[in-house]
Amino acid sequence: MHENLRHFIETLRREKQIIEIEAEVDPYLELAEIHRRVIDEEGPALLFKRVKGSSFPVVTNLFGTRGRVDLAVGPRPEEIVKRAVAALNRLLPPKPSILWQEKDWILSLAKSGLRTINSKNAPVLEIKASSIDLNTLPVLTSWPEDGGPFVTLPLVYTEHPVTKEHNLGMYRIQIYNSKQTGIHWQIHKGGGFHYHEAERLGQDLPTTLFLGGPPALVLSAIAPLPEMLPELIFTSFLMGEKLSKVRVPSHSHALIAEAEFAICGTVPAHVRKPEGPFGDHYGYYSLTHDFPVFNINAVYHRRDAIYPATVVGKPRQEDYFIGEYLQSLLSPMFPVVMPGVKALWTYAETGFHALAAAIVRESYHREALAHAFRILGEGQLTLTKFLIITDVQLDLQDFRTLLEIVLERFEPESDLLILNDTSMDTLDYTGRHLNHGSKAIMLGLGSPKRELPRQIENVILPGVLGIKPFCAGCLLIEAPSFSNTPELAQEVLGHLQNEVLNNWPLAILVDDLELASESSGFLWQVFTRFDPAHDIYAHTEILNHRLVYRGPILIDARMKPGYPGEVVPDEATVKLVDRRWKEYGIKIG
């Protein structure tokens, strides 16, 4: 499809999907504020041609609409996945006549792979920096409380120190000085596994940070692929052609030939430095913690290199549209990888890991629970915090309808499971300790068991600021801050037992009723602000060695002490961008 970044940019030019900004822009806060305003309006990609302090232009918002993601990869990958899954039963065992009928997409798949080219034909090797100085790169500082400039579209390549299997992941990179960065390897990512093994062996881990290249590289680095599927092979599949690599004598693994930059070095064993804070894709600041460091020993780049970047923050940002595409692409494979799971969706508004929902087979008593545990044991899904399971066929992206269908069938005595003391996504602080938390499984199976209430009138609860249905069966209750009223959830739970409210199976305490009333705001505000073991309230008893919950169920989804703060733009930067807006030449709509 696109063999490199500039080919994609040319396509965006033809489609009038990119604006070139001639005015000088500061990578410290200003550029990110411009980007956020444009993506809020589903505007075009942005090519900043003059960036303060650097000779390299910056391109952002490459994937800021579903249409541009489709332009990056085209319809071919989705068509092949659907055809492959549909033909799977016919292909096992393989028969010549069936293989012939499916030959077009099978031959297309056979083209996927890697090829090594001569160094003279590798654009990434056009320039080797005579001295290493990462400060010459236009690295963005996106939020006022960020710990420094961060590379925000990093493509981090490593190889297992023993097997040499590779991983390409997107692990944020904080610039410490001219020759060293942090590297934010999270607990569930392949690069972190490689480093863990290297450290166990007492070895430093050779690492390359790529910037740019085929846009398919970005999608592959983010995709929740099975460990046995190499990211570079998946990149080639998305491209529809082999991915070119090139060897350099001074580095232990090959470089991606069409990358804009290749920054080579090692991650030393047993070395840590404070990394963060950083405004992340949950919409909050991830806090400062010790992470490994990346020591640079060589920088290669194209002669006219373009620096690609993005900005993360409250949904919806570019990761939303990338995640939506990847789920659409990979979802036909879920029933193949996890038999009995008919459909699965994770919600970008919650940071993906905080909430997932699945439609499963329920052919015998509690079969759905077996499928739920299978989901929680699969790759990055292991970090799912809240999992909703049903056997009713519906569009999982329609969350209000999903929640109503589940609540019609939900019996808390048997259909709510809370798993204490589990791992948590590194960026989710609701568990009160880094990487620690809990999980919950909510089931809604079979035929409806109740008719859900839809309206509520003339109800006053002591100590709350407002009440409003989110959907049938789910009440939103705006409450004062948790810091001022930490016992309020237990008090409200008692009131939910009165005859006016006890037919509402679910109630949720929120900080902002108006925001939570809209689906995207509900998903973001609720699921990023509670941990099941700490913040789900119900009348509970122990029966036959298990906890039994009696409804209604209350979730306290207010901000808690110790949670990191929301990301908010710097006021001075907002005024600066207001004042300069006409200079940028950006017209949207």
Side-chain angles (χ1 to χ4, degrees), residues 56-218:
F56 300 108
V58 172
V59 65
T60 75
N61 205 22
L62 290 166
F63 307 100
T65 66
R66 176 58 191 266
R68 285 205 293 283
V69 177
D70 290 338
L71 281 175
V73 290
R76 174 188 156 277
E78 286 188 273
E79 292 169 0
I80 288 179
V81 169
K82 289 175 182 177
R83 290 191 60 184
V85 170
L88 189 62
N89 290 335
R90 300 171 62 227
L91 290 170
L92 296 174
K95 297 179 181 178
S97 60
I98 302 300
L99 291 172
W100 181 254
Q101 292 172 19
E102 304 291 339
K103 65 181 184 304
D104 54 344
W105 68 263
I106 292 175
L107 290 173
S108 178
L109 273 182
K111 295 178 181 178
S112 299
L114 309 176
R115 63 182 176 189
T116 300
I117 65 173
N118 190 286
S119 60
K120 294 179 181 179
N121 299 321
V124 74
L125 298 182
E126 288 175 345
I127 302 290
K128 181 179 181 181
S130 56
S131 61
I132 299 170
D133 186 1
L134 298 179
N135 296 313
T136 63
L137 298 177
V139 185
L140 306 190
T141 302
S142 300
W143 297 101
E145 295 179 31
D146 281 358
F150 282 82
V151 179
T152 52
L153 275 182
L155 303 168
V156 179
Y157 181 92
T158 57
E159 294 179 355
H160 190 284
V162 177
T163 67
K164 301 304 178 184
E165 293 174 346
H166 78 255
N167 174 261
L168 185 76
M170 191 163 289
Y171 316 120
R172 74 180 189 233
I173 300 287
Q174 180 178 353
I175 305 298
Y176 290 149
N177 55 51
S178 62
K179 296 182 180 181
Q180 188 182 71
T181 79
I183 187 161
H184 193 274
W185 269 325
Q186 295 167 254
I187 59 173
H188 57 298
K189 298 295 181 71
F193 297 153
H194 289 177
Y195 180 66
H196 173 80
E197 185 63 20
E199 200 168 50
R200 187 184 68 82
L201 297 171
Q203 300 176 8
D204 299 343
L205 184 67
T207 300
T208 304
L209 165 62
F210 295 108
L211 294 165
L217 276 172
V218 173

Side-chain angles (χ1 to χ4, degrees), residues 88 222 350 459 465 468 480 515 532 536:
L88 189 62
I222 295 173
T350 72
V459 172
L465 305 176
K468 182 179 181 180
L515 177 62
I536 292 179

Side-chain angles (χ1 to χ4, degrees), residues 29-69:
L29 301 181
E30 182 184 11
L31 194 154
E33 176 63 17
I34 298 168
H35 169 105
R36 286 192 291 267
R37 296 189 187 193
V38 173
I39 200 170
D40 281 349
E41 300 295 327
E42 296 192 12
L46 302 171
L47 180 60
F48 298 89
K49 301 180 81 170
R50 294 175 57 212
V51 182
K52 184 177 180 180
S54 179
S55 61
F56 300 108
V58 172
V59 65
T60 75
N61 205 22
L62 290 166
F63 307 100
T65 66
R66 176 58 191 266
R68 285 205 293 283
V69 177

Side-chain angles (χ1 to χ4, degrees), residues 450 453 475 494-506 551-553:
R450 66 175 63 82
L475 277 181
H495 294 299
L496 293 178
Q497 296 298 314
N498 72 48
E499 59 183 60
V500 177
L501 296 174
N502 65 9
N503 59 340
W504 291 83
L506 178 63
I553 302 297

Side-chain angles (χ1 to χ4, degrees), residues 327-381:
Q327 293 195 83
S328 298
L329 174 66
L330 299 174
S331 59
M333 299 171 61
F334 292 143
V336 178
V337 177
M338 297 180 285
V341 178
K342 299 178 180 180
L344 176 69
W345 196 257
T346 64
Y347 295 84
E349 295 93 339
T350 72
F352 295 105
H353 293 317
L355 175 64
I359 301 168
V360 302
R361 182 181 63 213
E362 172 81 348
S363 58
Y364 58 83
H365 178 64
R366 308 299 276 178
E367 181 188 4
L369 195 56
H371 298 311
F373 287 127
R374 175 63 189 269
I375 292 167
L376 293 177
E378 188 69 34
Q380 293 188 36
L381 290 167

Side-chain angles (χ1 to χ4, degrees), residues 53 66 177 209 227 266 323 393 398 442 451 454 473 581 586:
R66 176 58 191 266
N177 55 51
L209 165 62
E227 287 186 41
T266 58
Q393 198 63 42
D398 181 356
M442 184 180 194
E451 183 175 343
R454 294 184 175 273
W581 190 255
I586 300 171

